[in-house]
Every structure is written in structure tokens, then in C-alpha cells.
Amino acid sequence: MDAAAQAPFIQPIALAKAYRLLNHGPTVLVSAHHDGTDNVMAAAWACPLDFDPPKVTVVLDKATATRALIEGSGAFALQVPTRAQVHLTRGVGGESLADSPDKLVRHGVQLFRMEGQVPPFVAGCAAWLSCRVVPEPHNQQTYDLFIGEVTAAWADTRVFKDGHWTYETADPAWRSLHHVAGGHFYTIGDPVEG
Amino acid sequence: MDAAAQAPFIQPIALAKAYRLLNHGPTVLVSAHHDGTDNVMAAAWACPLDFDPPKVTVVLDKATATRALIEGSGAFALQVPTRAQVHLTRGVGGESLADSPDKLVRHGVQLFRMEGQVPPFVAGCAAWLSCRVVPEPHNQQTYDLFIGEVTAAWADTRVFKDGHWTYETADPAWRSLHHVAGGHFYTIGDPVEG
């Protein structure tokens, strides 16, 4: 998706409601920038940690190039990819920048910037959370577990409006992805009230 | 669901594949037992942390009665509730044992035991992971974040078979629940290959 075409639909989300962007457990894309290098990886192991100020956890293997950028910059973004981006998600999740310097181009990743934010953002996603690392060296070294405080968040109004996902009325191409293993995903399904 | 009726369908899952039970980000039920008391709560903030031995994270607010049982026993179970259990899930998630001593009965929770395991398990769920707490007092106090090592796991063969969820062929009543906010859930949807 073209970043310029999506721009009119990107709306800021109140920080107190940012957890809702991840609460249903989607697989995310993790992006970062440091010292002239951008990268994007996929992560199924990302989760809200607190409401307000919102925090998140994400597991980042030591072998990933994105982790090095995050350690260097102290910042990352999580974004919620869509059914339309399933090949992109699998692609950036299955290759490392260390081995495939052109991986973002080959998988059709278009990046855009947000004013005042260090990480790049992936165009075409349904939502974006910009985070600063809350340094916890023991967690990072022992468990590959990173904590981030969400400092800003946005969503595309075509699939998230007035604080709620609108998967039931949005085009199915907007549905979130939920990875099981080996490139097998499920999309999010239908609403049900508890 | 009756625990005895479900028993023939409960199969052990190899520990190296236990992460697949949570990888798609379902809302879980957290159960624990200590000093004669059983309890069950709901948690949307649970996530795999490692493959083998499998570990998980789960966020447990200090106000929950279940957390006290977990701190006392050093053990808990995570289980994956189903669409058929959406009212049960909302019910045990919205009330505390401290205020509602009969909450399990009123919400139709039927517990069963597994040999050698401390926590009780909720009948009718799709999968169960028995965990021992990996003590990390700083995470627990500062972030309400608990790490568990999965010591045994099981799934119902009617919805998880040969290491894979079979949501696409199982009765829709088996679909996992993904909470957004305020009792609004989505079920898991359709498969898509990346």
C-alpha cells in the first residue's frame, strides 16, 4: 500500500486506549532505525503490559538485526499487519537483514516516517505503536524480553474507529494475522459478546 | 462441559510444541490452587516467551485473588477457552473471588485435576498448560509480570491435532476468544498461508 494514499486515514489514538490495538493478540511487525539503517521483523510474541501509560512486551531473539537497532536507538515501533500483508509478514519474519540486505524491498515493505519519531513505520498496516525501551538488562539478556512504553499510537480509520476495531464491517483484507507456526496464520474472526 | 465426558479427548502435547497453543494470541483462563482454595481468572495479557523448554509470560494484577494463590503455590495453569465459554470467560474475568466467593459456581466453571499437577484445570477448554513460576520478584512487583515454565500441556483432539489447531474443520464452538475491551471479543477466524 502506498504511504501517501494511506495518510488521510491515519488517526492518532489516545494513549489510554492504545492497549486495544494489541489486546486481541495479533502477530505484529517490529520496526527500528539506528545509525542510518532501517529494519522490520515479524513477532508473534508481543503483548500489552500496562494500560496508562501503556506498556508492551516483545520477545526479540539475539540473532535478529532489528534487536541490534533497538538496542542502539532505545526505540521501536509495533504495527498490526493485515491479511493483505500476509506474504510481507511471512517474508520479513523469515529472513534476516544480515543475510538478505534487500529483504525489505523484495517483500514490498514501504516505510514512512512520523514527525518526532525515531522508528520507521510500515505502510498498509492497520495500527502503529511507537515505543521507547524501558531498560531491563536482566530480562533482555536472560529471556530476550523487551519492555516498551508506548509514547504515541495511530490506527487506520477504515478498521479502527472510536476506540474499537471494526473488523465486522471493514473489508476482510484488513483483518489481523495470528501466526501459529511455519507460515500458517489465522485471521481474526467474528465478534462475540461475553 | 462435563470433565468426564471430555477426558477421552484430552491428549498430551509435546513440550516443544506447547507454544503453538498460545501463539495465535488467545485470551486465556488462569487457574491456581493454594491452601485449600481454587480460583480461575481471565487474562488477555498472556504470551509465549520461549520454545523449549517452553516459557510463558502473564500479567497478574495485584488485586486478583488468583495471583495470591500463584504466589503461595508457585504454580498456575493457562487454558484456552472457547466460543462456547464466552460468558464463563467474561464472568470469571469480571469478578474477584474476594467479593464473590461463589463466582466459579455461578459462572458454570467445572474444575478437574491432572495427576501430579497442583493447579486445577477448567473443563471445556481447548488446551491447558501447567506452569511453575520462574521467580522474578522485580518483574512481579514492578510490572505485575509473571514468567512460567510450562511443565506439561494438553489439548482436546477435536480442535488441536498432530501439532496443529484445526479451527477450520472443528465445530465453530471451539474457536478461541480474543478480548478487545469491556466484554467485546472476537473469535479466531480463517486460515491463511504466508
Side-chain angles (χ1 to χ4, degrees):
Chain A
M1 184 178 295
D2 183 70
Q6 189 175 26
F9 299 101
I10 300 178
Q11 293 289 321
I13 302 298
L15 283 180
K17 293 195 171 167
Y19 77 93
R20 297 184 180 186
L21 302 174
L22 299 180
N23 214 70
H24 62 307
T27 293
V28 300
L29 300 178
V30 186
S31 57
H33 171 91
H34 184 59
D35 202 14
T37 301
D38 288 328
N39 201 17
V40 181
M41 62 177 275
W45 298 358
C47 191
L49 176 65
D50 208 348
F51 289 106
D52 194 12
K55 294 192 191 74
V56 296
T57 53
V58 60
V59 179
L60 303 168
D61 193 90
K62 291 178 185 70
T64 63
T66 303
R67 174 172 171 157
L69 302 179
I70 294 170
E71 290 174 325
S73 65
F76 61 92
L78 301 184
Q79 42 245 300
V80 181
T82 69
R83 191 189 193 297
Q85 294 175 306
V86 66
H87 298 303
L88 181 160
T89 302
R90 170 75 163 142
V92 300
E95 292 176 16
S96 176
L97 193 69
D99 308 316
S100 307
D102 63 342
K103 81 169 202 177
L104 298 187
V105 171
R106 275 193 301 101
H107 295 296
V109 176
Q110 186 178 142
L111 298 176
F112 66 100
R113 309 327 272 206
M114 290 288 225
E115 196 180 327
Q117 306 297 323
V118 172
F121 298 84
V122 179
C125 287
W128 303 263
L129 301 96
S130 190
C131 305
R132 69 167 188 87
V133 173
V134 177
E136 287 287 358
H138 169 68
N139 286 336
Q140 295 166 207
Q141 286 307 309
T142 306
Y143 302 112
D144 294 338
L145 179 69
F146 286 69
I147 294 175
E149 180 179 331
V150 182
T151 56
W154 301 264
D156 191 301
T157 54
R158 291 169 290 186
V159 64
F160 189 90
K161 195 149 193 176
D162 299 330
H164 297 283
W165 290 105
T166 57
Y167 290 123
E168 51 270 50
T169 51
D171 188 302
W174 284 104
R175 298 221 170 196
S176 56
L177 299 169
H178 300 253
H179 190 234
V180 178
H184 303 287
F185 296 82
Y186 287 92
T187 63
I188 198 66
D190 297 325
V192 53
E193 299 298 309
Chain B
M1 184 177 295
D2 184 69
Q6 188 175 28
F9 299 102
I10 299 177
Q11 294 289 320
I13 302 299
L15 283 180
K17 292 194 172 168
Y19 76 93
R20 296 183 181 186
L21 302 174
L22 298 181
N23 215 71
H24 62 307
T27 293
V28 300
L29 300 178
V30 187
S31 57
H33 171 91
H34 184 60
D35 202 14
T37 301
D38 288 327
N39 202 17
V40 181
M41 62 178 274
W45 299 356
C47 190
L49 176 65
D50 208 348
F51 288 106
D52 194 12
K55 293 191 192 74
V56 296
T57 54
V58 60
V59 178
L60 302 169
D61 192 271
K62 291 177 184 72
T64 64
T66 302
R67 173 173 170 157
L69 302 179
I70 293 170
E71 289 174 325
S73 65
F76 62 90
L78 301 184
Q79 42 245 300
V80 181
T82 69
R83 191 191 194 297
Q85 295 174 305
V86 67
H87 299 302
L88 181 160
T89 302
R90 170 76 164 142
V92 301
E95 292 176 16
S96 176
L97 193 69
D99 308 317
S100 307
D102 62 343
K103 80 168 202 179
L104 298 187
V105 171
R106 276 193 302 101
H107 295 295
V109 176
Q110 186 179 140
L111 298 175
F112 66 99
R113 308 329 271 207
M114 290 289 225
E115 197 181 326
Q117 306 296 324
V118 172
F121 298 84
V122 179
C125 287
W128 304 264
L129 301 96
S130 190
C131 305
R132 69 167 188 87
V133 173
V134 177
E136 288 286 0
H138 170 69
N139 286 336
Q140 295 164 208
Q141 286 307 310
T142 306
Y143 301 113
D144 294 338
L145 179 68
F146 285 70
I147 293 175
E149 180 179 330
V150 182
T151 56
W154 302 264
D156 190 300
T157 55
R158 291 169 289 186
V159 65
F160 190 90
K161 196 151 193 175
D162 300 331
H164 298 282
W165 289 104
T166 57
Y167 290 121
E168 51 269 51
T169 51
D171 188 302
W174 284 105
R175 297 220 171 197
S176 55
L177 298 169
H178 300 253
H179 191 235
V180 178
H184 304 287
F185 296 82
Y186 288 92
T187 63
I188 198 66
D190 298 323
V192 53
E193 299 298 309

